[in-house]
Amino acid sequence: MNLSSKLPRVGTTIFTVMSQLANEVGAVNLSQGFPDFDCDPVLKDLVTKYMGEAKNQYSPMPGLPALREAIATKIKKTRGALVHPDDITVTAGGTQALYCAISSVVRAGDEVILIEPAYDSYKPVVELHGGNVRTYELSAPDFQVDWNSFSRLITHKTRLIIINNPHNPLGKTLSRDDLEALNKLVSGTDIMILSDEVYEHIVFDGKEHHSVLSHPELKERSFAVFSFGKTFHITGWKMGYCVAPEPMTREFRKVHQFNVFAVNTPAQFALAEYLKTESNYLGLPEFFQAKRDYLQEGLQGTRLKPISSEGSYFQLYDYSAIADEADTEFAKRMTREYGVAAIPVSVFYSSGKDEKVIRLCFAKKEETLGKAIKLLKEM
Ligand code: PMP
Ligand code: GLN
């Protein structure tokens, strides 16, 4: 069969490639972003309880009312924003929410602006729907957005701007001023924002997370995407949600209902109950910051230079003092020869821009990080 691909340039994701290589050579896997420790047993018991209570059939298409109410309450407490449960849709992880948001608004010929390096799922979904990606490239070492030069990418065809805060792979966060600058650029236009905030609770050094939901004007034009996977150490459950104003939620659900219809029922019951205890997520900054600092301190004195991580699971390292080979080669060689797997950052740029930087995931047990530190000190 002569099958001409709709995504000819898409291969296997770097996360799969590097995790496979790590397994193959028995390396410590600091590449793909997932915890190597278990979630709270209380959460597991809740799922078991609801399965035992026969909560095993389809839930309502937008998500269980009790879960959407618990999410709205949490948003009010943490972001000071009033969101109606009808503007929340429970999804199969952040990934499916991102897919539905893009799919529901991007038409052939529309332009979508991405800030690169960008998480790898955005671009293929835009292209699958005939959209054209325009990229704003960030550069080492500070990777900051200059909104003035960013504004040159906006045209009458711009339909959507995708932001990611805290940022994967950079570990950078957006400030209130960043959101205000973005707001000025889109104010008076029909441009929508897709704000990927899956690491909303993983922000360090006492900083606040600035959600689009806390910005009254941006909130009215944004899809905000979240993941229970990151917040409760359950990336394998694939549970998340999308918050958007009514007209956008209406379009989002038209796709959602035929994409997945509804998501895992016992997990929704369990999360609705578990979310009510704030301490289940408010301690995350300290918990992950300790891991970030442990890795950073451990690697002090090596030729890997850290680039400040303000949030997320990730810490970037500049390896230019060790080698000048391409980051993809370096990451593979480091995995094979030194036994620690990392993600090369160039794969997140459409242009392949190579800043000689790798990403390490510190969402790991101290024991795992300790092993990695020992191995990397040999480099
Ligand atoms: N966005 C970003 C920035 C991510 O890092 C991830 C996953 N690690 C996702 C979205 C997807 O989230 P989920 O696993 O809930 O689908
Ligand atoms: N988001 C995770 C990461 O950045 C991986 C998710 C995936 O494997 N698709 O590593």
Side-chain angles (χ1 to χ4, degrees):
M1 196 188 356
N2 182 11
L3 173 68
S4 83
S5 174
K6 287 183 75 178
L7 294 170
R9 287 184 299 276
V10 170
T12 307
T13 78
I14 190 71
F15 309 119
T16 304
V17 170
M18 292 310 299
S19 277
Q20 263 173 8
L21 180 61
N23 289 340
E24 220 175 274
V25 303
V28 180
N29 189 2
L30 302 192
S31 64
Q32 195 177 18
F34 63 90
D36 71 343
F37 44 87
D38 202 3
C39 67
D40 186 347
V42 172
L43 186 51
K44 291 193 279 191
D45 288 347
L46 282 171
V47 180
T48 310
K49 177 179 109 176
Y50 285 111
M51 283 173 33
E53 288 177 10
K55 305 293 190 200
N56 296 311
Q57 308 309 327
Y58 294 127
S59 46
M61 179 274 281
L64 277 186
L67 178 55
R68 291 186 289 116
E69 276 158 29
I71 293 168
T73 304
K74 170 176 166 288
I75 293 171
K76 179 150 184 295
K77 271 194 210 145
T78 56
R79 310 289 163 232
L82 284 179
V83 169
H84 195 280
D86 287 349
D87 295 342
I88 298 168
T89 309
V90 181
T91 61
T95 309
Q96 192 239 334
L98 292 167
Y99 184 93
C100 290
I102 296 169
S103 171
S104 64
V105 299
V106 174
R107 298 189 179 89
D110 284 348
E111 290 180 358
V112 177
I113 305 179
L114 299 189
I115 298 174
E116 289 190 341
Y119 185 60
D120 68 346
S121 86
Y122 312 146
K123 189 178 179 197
V125 183
V126 171
E127 292 181 344
L128 206 49
H129 293 86
N132 296 317
V133 165
R134 308 208 59 194
T135 56
Y136 178 81
E137 279 193 347
L138 299 173
S139 301
D142 57 339
F143 296 102
Q144 294 298 320
V145 184
D146 170 12
W147 293 102
N148 203 18
S149 45
F150 179 94
S151 70
R152 288 181 217 128
L153 290 172
I154 297 179
T155 74
H156 65 284
K157 290 187 181 164
T158 307
R159 179 79 164 157
L160 187 68
I161 295 173
I162 304 183
I163 58 174
N164 176 205
N165 177 32
H167 191 276
N168 177 9
L170 299 177
K172 299 289 176 196
T173 56
L174 294 176
S175 65
R176 206 187 295 272
D177 286 349
D178 286 314
L179 291 190
E180 197 39 53
L182 173 63
N183 182 49
K184 281 218 178 76
L185 297 182
V186 295
S187 157
T189 73
D190 289 324
I191 299 170
M192 284 169 275
I193 307 293
L194 172 52
S195 184
D196 178 344
E197 302 184 20
V198 300
Y199 300 101
E200 64 164 337
H201 291 298
I202 313 181
V203 175
F204 308 133
D205 304 311
K207 281 198 186 145
E208 216 184 300
H209 169 61
H210 298 288
S211 172
V212 288
L213 300 179
S214 314
H215 191 292
E217 288 163 77
L218 286 178
K219 177 170 171 268
E220 292 313 309
R221 59 172 77 235
S222 297
F223 294 103
V225 167
F226 303 90
S227 169
F228 290 117
K230 312 295 166 177
T231 303
F232 296 135
H233 321 311
I234 47 169
T235 62
W237 290 20
K238 299 300 300 187
M239 297 292 293
Y241 55 99
C242 177
V243 182
E246 194 275 330
M248 289 165 69
T249 288
R250 194 185 330 134
E251 296 308 309
F252 181 98
R253 289 182 183 171
K254 287 180 189 173
V255 178
H256 174 78
Q257 74 174 339
F258 296 119
N259 182 247
V260 66
F261 182 71
V263 305
N264 192 302
T265 302
Q268 288 194 62
F269 274 99
L271 287 165
E273 199 167 323
Y274 194 71
L275 260 188
K276 291 188 184 142
T277 308
E278 282 176 45
S279 57
N280 286 337
Y281 53 85
L282 291 184
L284 289 175
E286 293 72 32
F287 177 75
F288 280 110
Q289 187 172 324
K291 295 184 179 299
R292 177 200 67 173
D293 294 348
Y294 182 78
L295 179 67
Q296 242 186 61
E297 279 155 29
L299 292 179
Q300 254 171 28
T302 70
R303 288 177 295 160
L304 286 170
K305 277 199 220 73
I307 293 174
S308 85
S309 164
E310 302 162 345
S312 83
Y313 280 173
F314 308 112
Q315 172 75 61
L316 296 187
Y317 280 95
D318 174 331
Y319 66 84
S320 59
I322 300 172
D324 62 4
E325 67 198 309
D327 64 352
T328 44
E329 293 311 310
F330 180 77
K332 286 183 184 156
R333 190 166 66 82
M334 193 176 98
T335 310
R336 287 198 188 96
E337 291 180 15
Y338 294 93
V340 180
I343 298 286
V345 170
S346 67
V347 301
F348 301 112
Y349 284 103
S350 301
S351 67
K353 182 177 164 100
D354 183 354
E355 297 281 43
K356 311 288 181 214
V357 164
I358 51 167
R359 187 196 83 176
L360 296 184
C361 173
F362 51 74
K364 305 290 170 188
K365 293 182 223 158
E366 201 171 292
E367 174 199 335
T368 309
L369 296 174
K371 265 191 213 153
I373 289 165
K374 208 160 157 233
L375 291 162
L376 290 174
K377 278 189 160 159
E378 300 297 312
M379 198 158 64

